[in-house]
Amino acid sequence: MPGTPYANQIYIDITHPEYECVEFMLAKGIHVLAYRSLVFLGAVELAAAMGDTTFSSLTELVEKTHADCVQQVVIAWLLARGCSVVLKSSSKPHIISNSKAYDLIEAIDVRSIKEFSKDSNNDIVTMCGGADEYANVFRSHNSI
């Protein structure tokens, strides 16, 4: 298709899963680059410490997959969905930890994460910055 980009970088994380946008791009042969995928995990963990159970399944997935941390589960979840994940780290231990996510891909049930993050209008999403405006423009332009 003329004019179709090879890749599109969008903001995707556990509070902004962008399911429809990712499915649309993959169906069009557009490679998805996920950025800022780990940035709000601290807010999610803080909300959990305050009693929010919206993302309690993340802890269960860490235990079920024997991951070292939640970050590995989120990275593996994105990889299992066909996304490349843009990560920034200057710390050798973080780089090693992030690379271990590849070992978890087969253990990740994408649907189980989709089930607890399907409500994109919840308070944690609002707290973590609402929606990605670029994804909203892409979505409206392509009738997603």
Side-chain angles (χ1 to χ4, degrees):
M1 168 200 263
T4 301
Y6 170 77
N8 191 8
Q9 179 175 298
I10 62 171
Y11 171 39
I12 305 173
D13 72 359
I14 203 68
T15 63
H16 308 88
E18 300 295 350
Y19 292 109
E20 297 83 14
C21 199
V22 169
E23 290 169 13
F24 175 84
M25 287 189 285
L26 293 176
K28 297 284 186 188
I30 302 169
H31 189 76
V32 179
L33 302 170
Y35 76 94
R36 295 186 67 181
S37 301
L38 306 178
V39 73
F40 285 118
L41 282 179
V44 169
E45 291 169 338
L46 177 63
M50 296 168 52
D52 186 296
T53 59
T54 306
F55 300 98
S56 60
S57 296
L58 273 176
T59 305
E60 294 169 18
L61 277 172
V62 170
E63 293 170 8
K64 180 181 172 186
T65 61
H66 305 290
D68 295 333
C69 58
V70 172
Q71 288 81 352
Q72 288 176 352
V73 170
V74 173
I75 295 167
W77 166 70
L78 289 163
L79 295 171
R81 292 176 57 199
C83 301
S84 291
V85 186
V86 179
L87 299 167
K88 177 193 173 282
S89 181
S90 58
S91 159
K92 186 174 181 175
H94 282 151
I95 294 168
I96 292 168
S97 178
N98 291 344
S99 69
K100 291 180 181 179
Y102 289 98
D103 300 332
L104 303 175
I105 294 171
E106 290 181 15
I108 294 293
D109 178 5
V110 173
R111 291 181 309 271
S112 67
I113 293 179
K114 190 171 184 175
E115 285 304 309
F116 72 79
S117 63
K118 66 183 174 187
D119 181 8
S120 62
N121 295 316
N122 62 37
D123 291 338
I124 194 82
V125 171
T126 303
M127 182 177 81
C128 292
D132 178 11
E133 291 305 315
Y134 181 76
N136 288 339
V137 169
F138 184 85
R139 191 179 296 106
S140 66
H141 178 72
N142 291 290
S143 303
I144 300 175

